[in-house]
Amino acid sequence: MVQGSDETPQKVATDENFRELLRVLPSMEDPRVLCESVYSMLEMMLRREGDKPLLDQLSELVGQIIGDIPFDQPPEEVREATRKAARACIKVLQTAKEKRTPARQDPEGSHERQSRDVEYWLPPHLAHLLAHVEYATPELPKPEFLPSFDDLCLASIHARIDNVLVFFQRHNPSLRRELPPIFLFSEEFAAKLKRAIAKFIYPYIAGSRQVRVFATSVDLTKVDSRTFWDQVDDVLKAKLLSTWQQAWNDLRLIEAGEAEGGKVLQIKETTKLLREMLQPSAPDVYDLPRIANREIDLLCSLLNTEEDWWQRLNAEWQRFHDFYEQEMDPRVFQQRAREGVLRDNLLLAAAKFPEQWGDFLVLLCHRIFPRVTTYFLECYSANIGLSEKERERRAPYLMRYLAQVRQHPEIKERERLEGAEWEAQVKMLRQHMKGFSE
């Protein structure tokens, strides 16, 4: 949307060009030209800050109207449907002209006023179908200056793994999810993991001769927990990472023999302490399997001294968000995606990050997006392995979650009822939108 003052003539919709557009719209037969013309006029008419809620809602409604054009039908039917859509778009533009903020009006209170206008124009019980998915997205902690090198180095490691942990902590409070979140999604787990790193992992790093030599060259008044990594050369980064991996490897369970049903693994005392330290304060806070080698490998994967992951994870998430709305959300018609595009991109994304993270990405979509149901998770799991054993190997936490779902049949019943209600509301919305073409 273009914003600016009233003195931006090349971006302002004048009465003359508004009337001219209304004159030519009924004769338009190309859906693309119609779409571009109407969106352009809307942006010019509703350019002020106070108009933004109205612009968002009317833009979505234009998308609905254009989306009803049967693009796959014979050309004559497309042209006729386009002319019909053009008449509906005229009503949208007339509404925008009537309800926009007058020139040079004090914008105070305009948001509340425009919100009331939009609710009047679109039935309130259907308005949520045209809204973007909203959810809480935590921000990264601010970088810190620390009084000692060890404090700084440990905080810098925490900051680097926060790029992963904080990414996975986004959540949708409006969604009902009966099962507790998987541990990686929990702020409480992140806090306990940092204490465990300080106790069991960092002593290995602090004891490294290369790290102690590097400590003498760091100016603590100029380096914080974020810029720390800019001071570390590639050789030392590799050393830090190998020491980190060694520390986690020393916590792994070891083979102690064979028994009926498989190998016998022996747990070390320090690993028992790690298990105790990472337990949730209550069962519903987060779900954590018994810490074993699989979990140790996952926790080890959270640090990469060369890659901070934050930008790449968030860029991938934006793609998931876009594909979810284009495939599963009824409000976006002009860029509607094919069925299965979200699933396919989740499968592709799993190869871009450490292999332990793939099922956390799909579980995060389930945690955020209303229509990513347990049925979607089951269909997704069918694409990652031919057998239950193979699926368990490739996505153990997803399969653990689905096993828990099977123990609660009320979850699928709720999803069935919610799905039926959603379909009914979408049908009502389509019927409402057809009123613009009458």
Side-chain angles (χ1 to χ4, degrees), residues 3-20:
Q3 297 179 2
S5 68
D6 296 340
E7 292 72 33
T8 315
Q10 69 275 20
K11 297 297 183 182
V12 175
T14 65
D15 288 342
E16 181 179 351
N17 58 35
F18 177 74
R19 286 193 298 268
E20 176 63 19

Side-chain angles (χ1 to χ4, degrees), residues 90-376:
I90 288 175
K91 295 183 180 181
V92 175
L93 292 173
Q94 289 171 335
T95 299
K97 187 173 188 296
E98 175 187 342
K99 298 182 181 299
R100 63 179 175 170
T101 303
R104 293 182 171 83
Q105 175 176 304
D106 185 348
E108 184 176 353
S110 62
H111 180 83
E112 180 180 356
R113 180 176 61 258
Q114 295 292 349
S115 295
R116 289 198 300 268
D117 289 341
V118 174
E119 288 180 0
Y120 171 80
W121 199 76
L122 185 69
H125 68 289
L126 300 178
H128 69 281
L129 292 173
L130 298 182
H132 288 281
V133 179
E134 295 185 357
Y135 47 88
T137 304
E139 295 183 356
L140 288 173
K142 293 182 179 179
E144 302 176 278
F145 288 94
L146 282 304
S148 74
F149 174 83
D150 284 325
D151 289 341
L152 174 64
C153 187
L154 179 59
S156 300
I157 291 171
H158 289 168
R160 186 54 64 95
I161 67 172
D162 267 337
N163 290 326
V164 181
L165 297 174
V166 174
F167 167 81
F168 281 110
Q169 287 168 9
R170 61 194 68 201
H171 64 283
N172 187 341
S174 66
L175 275 188
R176 182 183 176 188
R177 296 292 185 240
E178 290 87 346
L179 298 177
I182 196 70
F183 60 98
L184 206 64
F185 298 173
S186 168
E187 293 183 27
E188 179 181 304
F189 173 80
K192 292 185 174 185
L193 175 61
K194 290 176 183 178
R195 290 196 289 271
I197 290 170
K199 183 177 179 63
F200 300 115
I201 306 300
Y202 186 70
Y204 284 74
I205 295 172
S208 166
R209 183 180 63 83
Q210 292 95 320
V211 171
R212 301 322 304 174
V213 171
F214 173 66
T216 63
S217 66
V218 177
D219 186 345
L220 298 175
T221 65
K222 296 181 179 180
V223 180
D224 62 31
S225 54
R226 184 172 299 168
T227 58
F228 173 88
W229 295 102
D230 297 333
Q231 310 299 315
V232 182
D233 62 31
D234 292 343
V235 174
L236 186 54
K237 284 180 180 178
K239 177 61 179 179
L240 283 166
L241 183 59
S242 67
T243 307
W244 163 273
Q245 293 168 341
Q246 177 189 346
W248 283 109
N249 285 336
D250 283 354
L251 291 170
R252 291 174 62 85
L253 281 63
I254 57 176
E255 293 185 19
E258 298 278 348
E260 186 177 353
K263 298 177 181 179
V264 175
L265 297 178
Q266 182 178 351
I267 186 171
K268 302 174 183 178
E269 289 300 317
T270 49
T271 311
K272 289 182 180 178
L273 294 175
L274 176 68
R275 280 182 176 176
E276 295 173 4
M277 185 175 290
L278 296 182
Q279 288 302 304
S281 58
D284 61 345
V285 176
Y286 57 84
D287 175 53
L288 177 68
R290 284 170 60 86
I291 298 293
N293 291 346
R294 184 171 60 195
E295 286 67 44
I296 289 172
D297 289 340
L298 169 65
L299 298 178
C300 183
S301 74
L302 297 179
L303 178 68
N304 186 320
T305 54
E306 293 288 349
E307 174 68 70
D308 69 12
W309 295 121
W310 178 254
Q311 297 296 333
R312 288 179 58 185
L313 281 168
N314 281 282
E316 207 65 40
W317 178 256
Q318 186 57 57
R319 287 169 53 82
F320 298 157
H321 190 157
D322 291 343
F323 285 130
Y324 168 76
E325 290 192 335
Q326 292 170 20
E327 178 185 356
M328 299 182 176
D329 193 302
R331 59 172 205 87
V332 182
F333 280 83
Q334 65 274 22
Q335 295 179 330
R336 197 161 186 81
R338 62 175 175 79
E339 182 178 355
V341 69
L342 176 61
R343 176 205 62 211
D344 293 347
N345 276 272
L346 281 164
L347 290 166
L348 290 172
K352 300 178 184 179
F353 301 101
E355 62 179 350
Q356 297 89 350
W357 299 3
D359 40 356
F360 290 100
L361 291 172
V362 68
L363 285 171
L364 186 62
C365 288
H366 174 64
R367 182 169 167 80
I368 299 296
F369 300 139
R371 300 194 62 224
V372 176
T373 62
T374 58
Y375 175 74
F376 178 95

